[in-house]
Amino acid sequence: MTESANFQNDAPLESSIPGASLESILCTQELRNRPSRPPDYETENRALVALASALADSPRTILQTLADKVFEVLHADSAGLSLLTEDERRFYWAAVAGAWRPRIGAEAPRNFGPCGDVLDHNVPMLFNHWERRYPYLSSAMPLADEGLLVPFYVNGKAVGTIWAVAHDNRRKFDAEDLRLLERMSRFASAAYQTVESIENLRLQMSAREEAETELRELTNGLEAQVRARTEELEQRNKQLTEARARLAEEKLALERSEAFLAEAQRLSLTGSFSWRLDTDETTFSEQLYRIFELDPDAPVTLEQIGSRVHPEDISLLSEKMDLARRNINDHDYGIRLQMPDGRVKYLRTKSYGIRHKDGRLEHIGAIQDVTEHRLAEEALSKLQSELTHMARVTTLGAFTASIAHEVNQPLSGIITNASTCLRMLAADPPNVEGARETVRRTIRDGNRASDVITRLRALFSKKGTIAERVDLNDATREVIALSLSELQRNRVILRCGLADDLPLVTGDRVQLQQVVLNLIRNASDAMSGINDRPRQLLIRSEREEGDRVRLSVQDRGVGFDPQAMDRLFEAFYTTKNDGMGMGLSVSRSIIERHNGRLWAAPNDGPGATFSFSIPCGPGSATGARSLGVIETPAAKDAKRVQRNP
Ligand SMILES: Nc1ncnc2c1ncn2[C@@H]1O[C@H](COP(=O)(O)OP(=O)(O)OP(=O)(O)O)[C@@H](O)[C@H]1O
Ligand SMILES: [Mg+2]
């Protein structure tokens, strides 16, 4: 609306204050008195025909055509149509021709302006310089010298004015102009209705279009919503399907792992259980039913469990249950079952308690049937002790000659002493004191022989492993005593360094002696071919850190290849013609059963040292008497040899 400025808004406030009176700007009466030009009907008719055909052909622009025709027929400087707005508060210049054409669309107040005056008085009016009364019109340049206005009506109601303006006084309107304008005004009425109906139509159409657009938008919106909702639903559906598939997979995996677990329980003979401490409700896995040999279709009860436990282990079970009830957890113990037919089963139980969020206490655990394992262990241990015994007998076999010699010696002593005694008694007078002395020697020799036999019997005896307090020095000395003649025969120089503060150890005396015997015999064997150096054998015992005792046997024999060290301890490994290769292997298992260690080490010089170390065990005490170094006769011989080379 650049050119079509609103007079009211454009003009300052004072422009809405009336200046001159209406009468002073009106000259309608004068118009009637002015000389009038003759009517030009031809031009007039042409204009009306043009208007009529314009009304039919281009009704939308009819108002402008009308303004153009007024301008043309009246020879005006400007011409136009002002229409009342719908709210009847303003006029707007619907069509303008001539100098004021750019002002199309301008608005003026209904109650304060020439158009309003014309409608108020319902007569045509001729104004002279109306800006004198209506200051805002002074902005409508060029100024109007004269303005001729005629109201026009629709259905008897004034709706606007049709007007012609002369901008200078060269052109004065006359009665002919008024007649022409009045004619045109009737046409204006028809044009207005046409436009209005078009406008209505347009409005209706645009309203319908708007409604349609709205509907479309609504539909689109709805469609979009439905689409979005459908997508969302589809998405949810997809998620649901996926979740269902996942669940199915998980269920399958669970079933599979349950099947694995059941299979694992079956294979490992392990069952599991849970026991609710508040209700004593107990649940057994399938395998546990099998172990207890109970009916899997009936719920298991504590009474049933109790009836299966071995009578000797009932107290153990109640003690463990009592601990569980007192919330003392983590149990790991062995217990026996006794089946109705008397069969005994060995079980290993591992269980622990858990407290649920609601405070309930539950005990869960696993029970393994270790009967077969246990029986196999027993059989193995029996086999082992038989093997140990056999190895011992074999070793002793090698000593038989020297043992016979050992026994033979006191026996010949006894015979000699008895003969001497007889001789002394037969003398005259009988030598009673001498006889008494020889009898004493006879008794001593008899005891010596008896000792040897006793020791031998102990070593040959076949009994299971027993744990007793053993003085390792004493046990070693006994073995030395048995081996002395064999060592002597083999020209071995034996030296002993047995610690005098040696604590007692807990173990099997005979088995430990077997180890010492085997080490001594091996040492002696290793030196049997050595002739270029003394065949020295050193047996030492000592106390070790951490309450342990060590015994070592050192020789100056052929030694061994350090790389082959581990092989020495393998069963059946031997380098001897008459060897079984069992000595070291059996010895090592004996020492390991004593929680100890047996090992070999090459000497700095020639030969090897074999040692074992065992813990003293509970309540070990120093019990050995000091024996210092005992020497074999061969050792004495060796010293002699060294002194007199
Ligand atoms: N003190 C040693 N010095 C060198 N080699 C040794 C010594 N002690 C054992 N060996 C080697 O270790 C092998 C295995 O000894 P082990 O006592 O197990 O069996 P063995 O003495 O051959 O036969 P046996 O079963 O009669 O004892 C021996 O044959 C020998 O080669
Ligand atoms: Mg041996």
Side-chain angles (χ1 to χ4, degrees), residues 37 174 292 593:
R37 60 185 167 107
D174 58 17
F292 273 72
R593 257 178 277 148

PDB file of all heavy atoms in Angstrom, residues 37 174 292 593:
ATOM      1  N   ARG A  37     -23.155  21.882 -20.439  1.00  0.00           N
ATOM      2  CA  ARG A  37     -22.822  21.480 -21.814  1.00  0.00           C
ATOM      3  C   ARG A  37     -23.884  20.532 -22.330  1.00  0.00           C
ATOM      4  O   ARG A  37     -24.510  19.818 -21.526  1.00  0.00           O
ATOM      5  CB  ARG A  37     -21.431  20.866 -21.856  1.00  0.00           C
ATOM      6  CG  ARG A  37     -21.304  19.653 -20.993  1.00  0.00           C
ATOM      7  CD  ARG A  37     -19.862  19.155 -20.963  1.00  0.00           C
ATOM      8  NE  ARG A  37     -19.691  18.170 -19.893  1.00  0.00           N
ATOM      9  CZ  ARG A  37     -19.554  16.864 -20.128  1.00  0.00           C
ATOM     10  NH1 ARG A  37     -19.591  16.399 -21.362  1.00  0.00           N
ATOM     11  NH2 ARG A  37     -19.371  16.043 -19.105  1.00  0.00           N
ATOM     12  N   ASP A 174     -20.575  20.545 -14.300  1.00  0.00           N
ATOM     13  CA  ASP A 174     -21.900  21.155 -14.523  1.00  0.00           C
ATOM     14  C   ASP A 174     -22.991  20.093 -14.384  1.00  0.00           C
ATOM     15  O   ASP A 174     -22.702  18.941 -14.020  1.00  0.00           O
ATOM     16  CB  ASP A 174     -21.958  21.834 -15.909  1.00  0.00           C
ATOM     17  CG  ASP A 174     -21.667  20.870 -17.035  1.00  0.00           C
ATOM     18  OD1 ASP A 174     -21.741  19.612 -16.766  1.00  0.00           O
ATOM     19  OD2 ASP A 174     -21.328  21.294 -18.149  1.00  0.00           O
ATOM     20  N   PHE A 292      21.634 -91.112  46.412  1.00  0.00           N
ATOM     21  CA  PHE A 292      20.991 -91.532  47.666  1.00  0.00           C
ATOM     22  C   PHE A 292      20.058 -92.728  47.453  1.00  0.00           C
ATOM     23  O   PHE A 292      19.531 -93.274  48.401  1.00  0.00           O
ATOM     24  CB  PHE A 292      20.200 -90.359  48.273  1.00  0.00           C
ATOM     25  CG  PHE A 292      21.041 -89.473  49.147  1.00  0.00           C
ATOM     26  CD1 PHE A 292      21.991 -88.633  48.594  1.00  0.00           C
ATOM     27  CD2 PHE A 292      20.905 -89.492  50.530  1.00  0.00           C
ATOM     28  CE1 PHE A 292      22.778 -87.823  49.393  1.00  0.00           C
ATOM     29  CE2 PHE A 292      21.696 -88.690  51.340  1.00  0.00           C
ATOM     30  CZ  PHE A 292      22.632 -87.849  50.777  1.00  0.00           C
ATOM     31  N   ARG A 593      54.990 -89.456  50.854  1.00  0.00           N
ATOM     32  CA  ARG A 593      53.890 -89.772  51.766  1.00  0.00           C
ATOM     33  C   ARG A 593      54.152 -89.169  53.151  1.00  0.00           C
ATOM     34  O   ARG A 593      53.239 -88.965  53.933  1.00  0.00           O
ATOM     35  CB  ARG A 593      53.700 -91.283  51.878  1.00  0.00           C
ATOM     36  CG  ARG A 593      52.498 -91.755  51.051  1.00  0.00           C
ATOM     37  CD  ARG A 593      52.330 -93.244  51.121  1.00  0.00           C
ATOM     38  NE  ARG A 593      53.209 -93.905  50.175  1.00  0.00           N
ATOM     39  CZ  ARG A 593      53.756 -95.105  50.358  1.00  0.00           C
ATOM     40  NH1 ARG A 593      53.524 -95.774  51.460  1.00  0.00           N
ATOM     41  NH2 ARG A 593      54.517 -95.631  49.440  1.00  0.00           N
TER      42      ARG A 593
END
